[in-house]
Amino acid sequence: MPGDCAAVPRRTGTRSVTERESGEGLPRVLSRRLVALFAVACGAAVANVYFSQPLLVTMGHDLAMSPALVGSVVTLTHVGYGLGLFFLVPLGDMADRRRLVVAQLLLLVVALVMVAAARSAAMLLAGMAATGLLAVVTQTLVAFAASLAPAAERGRVVGLVTSGVVTGILLARTASGLMADLAGWRSVYVASATLTALLALVLYRVLPRHGDAPPTALRYGQLLRSTVTLFAREPLLRVRALFGLLVFAAFSTLWSSVALPLSEAPYFMSHTAIGALGLIGVAGALAATVAGRLNDRGLSRHTTGIALALLAVSWLPLAFTRGSLWALAAGVILLDLAVQAVHVTNQTLIHALHPDAGSRLIGGYMVFYSIGSATGALAATSLYAVAGWGAVCALGATFSCLGLLLWVCTRHDTAERKKQWCSGPAAG
């Protein structure tokens, strides 16, 4: 299986596939600075999906919205994001990715300005839905970076770019809470619109015009249908999508509900203090880079198993959150390390299946991520109201153990595919 073993040279003409994929003798288009820029752009874009969470009460008061209507702000943002994953991200396989990225960023600026200028609930909700829809430029950038990376370094590159995504998700709540306290909730979206416009200009100037794979000749309708076809054809894609669903259900179980026990006795923490908990979770960014390097060394199967075991274990200290903030911190670090290790491994492996369909593969995979995130959030908040924090931890542990069980049930099939791939045509 690509990505589960060291690359085997396959001769085609005078140069091996390994030589061509590793970029030997070719101009290097993906410098460290460009990878860092990809990471920053991804973090800035995805943060827009999460900015609103600490601001809901303030938004509701400002625009005279009912509690039910305020809750729909988050829902519409995630619905927009899910639609963008399926309908926009695949465009990266048929269009010039540089132009597509810049166009999406500029449209995202318009959506953010619409939110910042909203004077009615309807305008706010429309702007939030558009923001979620266009924030999927994050996944277009991930696929773009993966397509530019030499095969031998793809895991490292995906890991570094994903570290930007992790950082953006976890720091979004902290940043928005602090800015809202200083200058009001609208300042959050004005600042984000300004940063997004600046990133669009910089990326337009520095991104290469084309990735490694030429654009597909498929029409848009065929492109969307082919995303479904890829899932039907590729067992690895289906398994990795299920891993993504389960680990992000566990991730969302924690992060959608952890504010509830922290805002009650004995802590009574403020929204800003709770948001600062995301700073601890940035340790997950470290896991993203390490997991990428392990994938490049052919250790994706082992990385997945160890990460899923850590994910299951993380719920033990998390269960003692009400009695110890140290236990909460330990659980958060373990959980974020594990989730990001699995996530990077998933993206690296599925992109290697069909590099020419990288956007469709990552977009389709991320739909499962969205389903998992929504399931975890809805189930956790509902369960907390009925049975408390202990039940929430049991739910998160269940998602985690299901992921570990899936790995146990599929690891032999994965190993067999790895063996078959590695024993494929060799140099002759």
Side-chain angles (χ1 to χ4, degrees):
M1 179 180 64
D4 255 6
C5 58
V8 177
R10 288 169 283 159
R11 304 303 301 188
T12 55
T14 59
R15 298 179 64 199
S16 70
V17 172
T18 301
E19 287 170 352
R20 288 188 289 109
E21 289 182 343
S22 66
E24 292 179 9
L26 296 176
R28 190 175 183 85
V29 296
L30 201 59
S31 65
R32 290 184 178 181
R33 289 184 179 180
L34 185 54
V35 173
L37 181 59
F38 270 112
V40 170
C42 283
V46 77
N48 291 296
V49 179
Y50 300 91
F51 279 147
S52 65
Q53 293 182 2
L55 311 177
L56 294 177
V57 174
T58 305
M59 287 177 169
H61 286 317
D62 190 20
L63 299 177
M65 299 168 65
S66 67
L69 203 55
V70 169
S72 65
V73 169
V74 174
T75 302
L76 281 175
T77 306
H78 283 280
V79 167
Y81 195 81
L83 291 173
L85 289 172
F86 187 78
F87 290 104
L88 294 185
V89 174
L91 288 171
D93 291 334
M94 67 180 295
D96 183 321
R97 281 179 175 148
R98 171 174 164 268
R99 291 184 178 180
L100 180 63
V101 165
V102 172
Q104 286 182 335
L105 286 173
L106 292 176
L107 289 173
L108 180 57
V109 171
V110 175
L112 292 168
V113 170
M114 184 176 178
V115 171
R119 298 300 173 191
S120 67
M123 186 175 179
L124 175 68
L125 294 175
M128 295 304 300
T131 296
L133 181 74
L134 294 162
V136 296
V137 68
T138 301
Q139 303 309 321
T140 304
L141 285 163
V142 171
F144 197 178
S147 73
L148 293 172
E153 299 180 16
R154 186 167 292 134
R156 180 185 67 84
V157 170
V158 172
L160 288 169
V161 173
T162 301
S163 70
V165 179
V166 178
T167 303
I169 291 173
L170 293 173
L171 296 186
R173 302 172 184 87
T174 305
S176 64
L178 290 174
M179 289 188 65
D181 287 343
L182 292 173
W185 70 268
R186 296 178 190 275
S187 69
V188 176
Y189 293 94
V190 171
S192 184
T194 303
L195 176 60
T196 302
L198 178 61
L199 284 169
L201 175 62
V202 173
L203 289 170
Y204 178 78
R205 294 178 62 87
V206 304
L207 285 181
R209 294 184 179 275
H210 300 287
D212 181 61
T216 180
L218 295 175
R219 294 182 179 179
Y220 182 63
Q222 296 172 318
L223 194 73
L224 297 182
R225 288 194 295 272
S226 73
T227 303
V228 179
T229 302
L230 286 168
F231 272 87
R233 273 194 346 221
E234 299 291 351
L236 174 63
L237 179 56
R238 296 196 296 271
V239 170
R240 287 288 158 177
L242 286 176
F243 280 140
L245 186 153
L246 290 169
V247 299
F248 278 102
F251 181 86
S252 185
T253 295
L254 172 67
W255 287 107
S256 64
S257 61
V258 71
L260 300 174
L262 294 180
S263 62
E264 299 171 351
Y267 301 117
F268 298 108
M269 294 173 65
S270 66
H271 290 299
T272 301
I274 294 171
L277 186 63
L279 297 173
I280 301 173
V282 173
L286 173 63
T289 57
V290 173
R293 293 180 185 277
L294 290 174
N295 276 282
D296 290 336
R297 293 171 57 189
L299 298 174
S300 58
R301 182 163 54 92
H302 297 87
T303 301
T304 302
I306 293 170
L308 288 169
L310 289 176
L311 183 62
V313 169
S314 70
W315 291 99
L316 182 59
L318 286 171
F320 293 93
T321 291
R322 287 192 179 277
S324 171
L325 288 177
W326 288 108
L328 171 63
V332 165
I333 291 172
L334 282 176
L335 183 138
D336 283 351
L337 284 169
V339 169
Q340 299 311 322
V342 176
H343 186 43
V344 170
T345 301
N346 288 346
Q347 291 186 101
T348 303
L349 291 179
I350 64 175
H351 188 278
L353 288 172
H354 297 283
D356 58 326
S359 291
R360 278 166 284 170
L361 289 168
I362 289 179
Y365 161 76
M366 289 298 295
V367 169
F368 283 77
Y369 148 91
S370 292
I371 294 171
S373 295
T375 301
L378 180 61
T381 51
S382 301
L383 194 59
Y384 184 86
V386 175
W389 180 247
V392 170
C393 290
L395 174 68
T398 300
F399 286 132
S400 305
C401 289
L402 285 174
L404 186 59
L405 179 62
L406 177 62
W407 177 81
V408 170
C409 293
T410 60
R411 73 187 194 281
H412 295 303
D413 293 339
T414 301
E416 181 62 24
R417 282 195 296 271
K418 166 190 171 183
K419 180 179 178 181
Q420 291 173 356
W421 186 80
C422 291
S423 60

